[in-house]
Amino acid sequence: MPSPYLNSKLLRRSRVFWGSFSLWRPRLVFWCGALAIGVISVGFAKLADLAQKAFGSVTSTGQWAFLLPLVLTPLGFMLSAYLAATLFPNSQGSGIPQAIAARHLRDEDDRTRLLSLRIAFGKIVLTVLGLFSGASIGREGPTVQVGASIMLAVARLSGIAQARGLILAGSAAGIAAAFNTPLAGIVFAIEEMSRTYESRANGLVLTAVILSGLAALGLSGSYNYFGMASAAPTALKDWGLVLICGVGGGALGAAFSGFALHFGQRIRRWAQPQPLSRMLAFAGVCGLAVGIIGVAAGGSTFGTGYEQARGAVEGNALPLLFFVEKLAASFLSMLSGIPGGIFAPSLAVGAGFGSTVGSLLGTSIALAAILGMAGYFAGVVQAPMTAFVIILEMTGDHQAVIPIMAVSMIGYVTSRLLSREPLYHGLSRVFIAAAIRKHRSER
């Protein structure tokens, strides 16, 4: 028969073990969530690539197949808009505004309406559907909403009280895994998502980015999004690109974001009497317009624009008007209300703008494309540090660090002078206002 001393010793060890487990359980759940973001991001990327290739294959097989987008694209837009409105509400658009809005909302139910595993699933499915339909959208913004949704679920499962910090961490992990740019994920979380430095969320963001990055690295290997570039300014006219791409890219980005906020508000008011039927009709019209632009451009404006942007970064000049066509297709895809991001299309527009400037000035196409991406992207999101870091990490062009940094800052300043409200934060107000109206109606 065991002694009382042995029994008390075993009891103390048992308490220590279960006490330690209760302390470690939230951390384990958090780590699993961060790893899941990396795995899901890689799977999402592969599905998006397959959908885009399938659209290209369908619309290039047969004598009249090139006209198929005039039917497939509007129908795909209408189906995506219908499913987003009925089965997956609040999955529309990029997804970044929903994550920003959720950080400002204090009620758990309000946050769950914007970020949930159901919405994350719908976001992935409908973004893939949009790419299969030829929409000029990307998967990177949606990955932010997916990552934030997973981390909000982690908060509920683990009992971690820092919901706002976890949303920030999930957003950063999503960007880091989507682009394979860990530093850009961290900078994006600080500069764009929170607009402030929060020391309490510092460890959460870093840990989430590291773990999601490791998961993505294990599945996809180490790579640069646009390969390795080594373009650098060597002549005076190369330095002239800094000013032209900064001012021109910033102005284009300001026009995109300003018109998106303005027309988005007017469309919501117009659709108010019959929101579902009117928005479906509008999505169909946008889809038809995107299809017409794509057919006229020889198919170059469909999808993310990754191939075109990479070609420009490698020194292959794009058609002079490609950036105008891609900007119009991206703008219509965004206004239509279908789920899909603007990160990748914005990079393609910027690369096209830079390529055109480089062709006209007779400078390096690769350098001009990289600077065009930095200027336009900084103009759209009004986050110069994010633009600089993300372009640098995606191209690996360390010889052009100062020019990229300068263009990002010039693009940001130009955009702020022309459009005072940042795009994502302006769009997030729509979701915040909807939550406020709901609470008022319940009183």
Side-chain angles (χ1 to χ4, degrees):
M1 190 173 176
S3 66
Y5 172 75
L6 184 59
N7 283 336
S8 63
K9 191 174 182 180
L10 289 172
L11 183 61
R12 284 197 303 272
R13 286 183 178 177
S14 176
R15 287 174 177 170
V16 168
F17 173 78
W18 287 110
S20 300
F21 180 75
S22 65
L23 291 174
W24 278 95
R25 181 177 173 274
R27 298 177 188 176
L28 292 172
V29 175
F30 170 70
W31 293 343
C32 289
L35 290 169
I37 292 172
V39 173
I40 291 170
S41 297
V42 172
F44 189 8
K46 294 189 180 300
L47 285 175
D49 290 343
L50 288 173
Q52 192 164 302
K53 288 177 182 175
F55 176 81
S57 177
V58 168
T59 56
S60 62
T61 305
Q63 185 178 0
W64 300 102
F66 72 98
L67 293 175
L68 191 59
L70 301 182
V71 177
L72 179 59
T73 304
L75 289 179
F77 272 51
M78 292 177 73
L79 177 60
S80 182
Y82 175 77
L83 294 175
T86 56
L87 293 182
F88 306 106
N90 294 320
S91 67
Q92 295 90 339
S94 165
I96 294 175
Q98 288 92 317
I100 293 174
R103 294 193 74 248
H104 287 87
L105 299 172
R106 298 187 179 277
D107 185 78
E108 186 176 348
D109 290 337
D110 290 337
R111 286 174 174 164
T112 304
R113 290 187 189 95
L114 300 178
L115 303 174
S116 68
L117 296 181
R118 175 189 178 90
I119 291 175
F121 173 77
K123 194 75 171 187
I124 293 172
V125 171
L126 297 184
T127 301
V128 171
L129 173 61
L131 288 170
F132 178 72
S133 305
S136 180
I137 55 176
R139 58 174 171 80
E140 294 78 16
T143 306
V144 169
Q145 189 176 15
V146 171
S149 296
I150 291 172
M151 278 303 177
L152 194 61
V154 163
R156 289 193 294 270
L157 288 172
S158 63
I160 299 176
Q162 297 183 47
R164 295 177 76 248
L166 286 173
I167 292 171
L168 196 67
S171 302
I175 284 291
F179 282 117
N180 191 35
T181 52
L183 287 178
I186 295 168
V187 174
F188 171 80
I190 296 171
E191 185 181 36
E192 180 61 19
M193 288 294 300
S194 68
R195 293 273 163 174
T196 56
Y197 180 78
E198 299 181 31
S199 58
R200 288 184 300 175
N202 197 23
L204 291 174
V205 170
L206 282 172
T207 305
V209 167
I210 291 168
L211 292 175
S212 68
L214 285 173
L217 193 66
L219 293 171
S220 299
S222 180
Y223 69 95
N224 281 71
Y225 192 81
F226 287 126
M228 293 296 293
S230 57
T234 56
L236 185 61
K237 59 183 178 181
D238 289 338
W239 285 101
L241 288 172
V242 173
L243 184 62
I244 297 172
C245 290
V247 175
L252 281 175
F256 181 92
S257 58
F259 281 123
L261 292 172
H262 175 72
F263 284 108
Q265 187 178 44
R266 296 194 66 174
I267 289 165
R268 285 190 296 273
R269 289 175 181 171
W270 168 78
Q272 199 55 46
Q274 298 171 308
L276 182 58
S277 59
R278 289 197 176 192
M279 285 309 298
L280 288 182
F282 183 73
V285 171
C286 288
L288 179 60
V290 170
I292 293 171
I293 294 169
V295 171
S300 62
T301 60
F302 292 125
T304 62
Y306 168 79
E307 294 296 334
Q308 289 77 14
R310 177 157 188 163
V313 170
E314 291 173 349
N316 303 312
L318 293 170
L320 293 180
L321 293 179
F322 167 77
F323 77 95
V324 177
E325 297 163 337
K326 186 63 178 175
L327 190 151
S330 302
F331 184 75
L332 290 167
S333 296
M334 181 182 182
L335 276 189
S336 69
I338 66 171
I342 62 170
F343 262 58
S346 293
L347 296 175
V349 172
F353 173 70
S355 172
T356 296
V357 172
S359 296
L360 294 176
L361 294 181
T363 61
S364 164
I365 297 298
L367 177 64
I370 291 170
L371 296 181
M373 284 195 293
Y376 180 74
F377 190 76
V380 171
V381 301
Q382 293 190 2
M385 286 180 62
T386 300
F388 158 66
V389 173
I390 205 167
I391 300 300
L392 188 64
E393 282 195 286
M394 286 192 302
T395 62
D397 190 6
H398 295 281
Q399 296 185 46
V401 170
I402 298 300
I404 295 172
M405 191 182 298
V407 166
S408 299
M409 197 63 206
I410 294 171
Y412 163 72
V413 172
T414 303
S415 180
R416 286 288 289 177
L417 289 173
L418 297 174
S419 178
R420 300 298 299 172
E421 188 168 35
L423 177 61
Y424 291 134
H425 286 264
L427 294 173
S428 72
R429 298 184 197 282
V430 176
F431 300 100
I432 296 171
I436 293 172
R437 285 196 302 269
K438 183 180 181 301
H439 284 293
R440 286 176 178 173
S441 65
E442 289 175 350
R443 289 177 183 174

